[in-house]
Amino acid sequence: ETGVTQTPRHLVMGMTNKKSLKCEQHLGHNAMYWYKQSAKKPLELMFVYNFKEQTENNSVPSRFSPECPNSSHLFLHLHTLQPEDSALYLCASSQLGTSTEAFFGQGTRLTVV
Amino acid sequence: AQSVSQHNHHVILSEAASLELGCNYSYGGTVNLFWYVQYPGQHLQLLLKYFSGDPLVKGIKGFEAEFIKSKFSFNLRKPSVQWSDTAEYFCAVGGYQKVTFGIGTKLQVIP
């Protein structure tokens, strides 16, 4: 248990579906991240939120839409995805300004069919 | 810009061999450096970290890393690897705004 919880752990969705990934951190951190981990590719930073404000969007396609309603919760809304979007989506949190160590959730294994 | 470069993408070693994984970073401010490990089927977890002080940092499971400021490096070492060290290792740099990860190095230890 890392203090960062992601749901669901596994998700299979069709290309026309709409789904959401959820992340919750119980560590009191002020920054949250979405990463994409694909086979044979580097860990890709997708979005960064500092104090609920989005501070980075690494050219992520608009079919991925993040939402950060408060500093403890982070969502990734998915719609009209492509098969190449199948990957492990990791959420992380950190406390900026003091220790920037990132704590990761278990990830959501997404399969787009 | 904040970036991390890991030079070895896939390393294969026999048990008891020594390990050194290279990591170079780029960041203009005060830097925090990390090594994370991801065992097969598990989440990323912290192996060790450097914030300040002694540049030789000791982590869990016999791993250590040395921060060399003049070389912008933070290489990971272990004198004698075990089969259970088979995993993917990520170097990371933490700046004011975010944590940036390297591409990762897959380590395979052969019994």
Side-chain angles (χ1 to χ4, degrees), chain B residues 42-55:
Chain B
Q42 296 190 26
H43 64 274
L44 277 152
Q45 54 188 290
L46 187 70
L47 198 56
L48 50 78
K49 60 186 177 184
Y50 171 81
F51 289 162
S52 63
D54 189 344

Side-chain angles (χ1 to χ4, degrees), chain B:
Chain B
Q2 187 173 320
S3 67
V4 178
S5 175
Q6 291 183 242
H7 315 300
N8 319 100
H9 296 169
H10 197 176
V11 173
I12 302 174
L13 293 173
S14 298
E15 274 193 315
S18 65
L19 170 72
E20 180 160 4
L21 301 182
C23 172
N24 287 93
Y25 69 91
S26 171
Y27 182 64
T30 301
V31 69
N32 299 328
L33 296 162
F34 311 90
W35 275 98
Y36 284 80
V37 60
Q38 187 176 31
Y39 297 103
Q42 296 190 26
H43 64 274
L44 277 152
Q45 54 188 290
L46 187 70
L47 198 56
L48 50 78
K49 60 186 177 184
Y50 171 81
F51 289 162
S52 63
D54 189 344
L56 185 62
V57 180
K58 295 195 182 297
I60 60 173
K61 302 185 180 184
F63 285 90
E64 65 178 31
E66 185 175 12
F67 169 53
I68 302 179
K69 189 174 181 179
S70 60
K71 295 185 178 180
F72 297 92
S73 70
F74 190 57
N75 292 355
L76 180 71
R77 299 194 293 249
K78 185 170 183 178
S80 175
V81 294
Q82 300 172 309
W83 176 79
S84 58
D85 293 324
T86 295
E88 190 160 12
Y89 294 81
F90 296 86
C91 182
V93 57
Y96 179 71
Q97 290 275 338
K98 63 182 179 182
V99 181
T100 299
F101 285 81
I103 194 171
T105 298
K106 288 190 176 175
L107 172 65
Q108 183 179 355
V109 180
I110 301 171

Side-chain angles (χ1 to χ4, degrees), chain A:
Chain A
E1 179 59 50
T2 66
V4 180
T5 304
Q6 289 186 244
T7 54
R9 292 291 305 277
H10 300 271
L11 178 62
V12 179
M13 60 186 287
M15 289 190 284
T16 58
N17 290 159
K18 288 185 180 180
K19 296 285 184 183
S20 295
L21 309 185
K22 179 183 176 182
C23 176
E24 183 175 1
Q25 58 100 357
H26 311 277
L27 302 167
H29 289 164
N30 54 23
M32 296 187 77
Y33 312 77
W34 279 117
Y35 286 89
K36 178 183 178 183
Q37 188 175 31
S38 306
K40 300 180 182 179
K41 286 189 177 181
L43 196 61
E44 300 174 51
L45 178 64
M46 300 174 72
F47 302 103
V48 181
Y49 278 83
N50 292 346
F51 299 98
K52 302 187 302 176
E53 299 296 322
Q54 188 181 123
T55 56
E56 186 151 340
N57 175 341
N58 272 349
S59 303
V60 181
S62 59
R63 58 186 183 269
F64 295 91
S65 174
E67 178 190 2
C68 189
N70 54 61
S71 58
S72 299
H73 293 86
L74 185 65
F75 295 90
L76 188 62
H77 303 300
L78 316 171
H79 63 97
T80 59
L81 293 192
Q82 304 298 311
E84 60 265 28
D85 296 322
S86 299
L88 182 68
Y89 288 85
L90 294 168
C91 175
S93 71
S94 70
Q95 182 65 19
L96 299 180
T98 55
S99 160
T100 56
E101 172 187 346
F103 290 78
F104 284 84
Q106 297 272 24
T108 295
R109 174 68 64 185
L110 174 67
T111 303
V112 181
V113 296

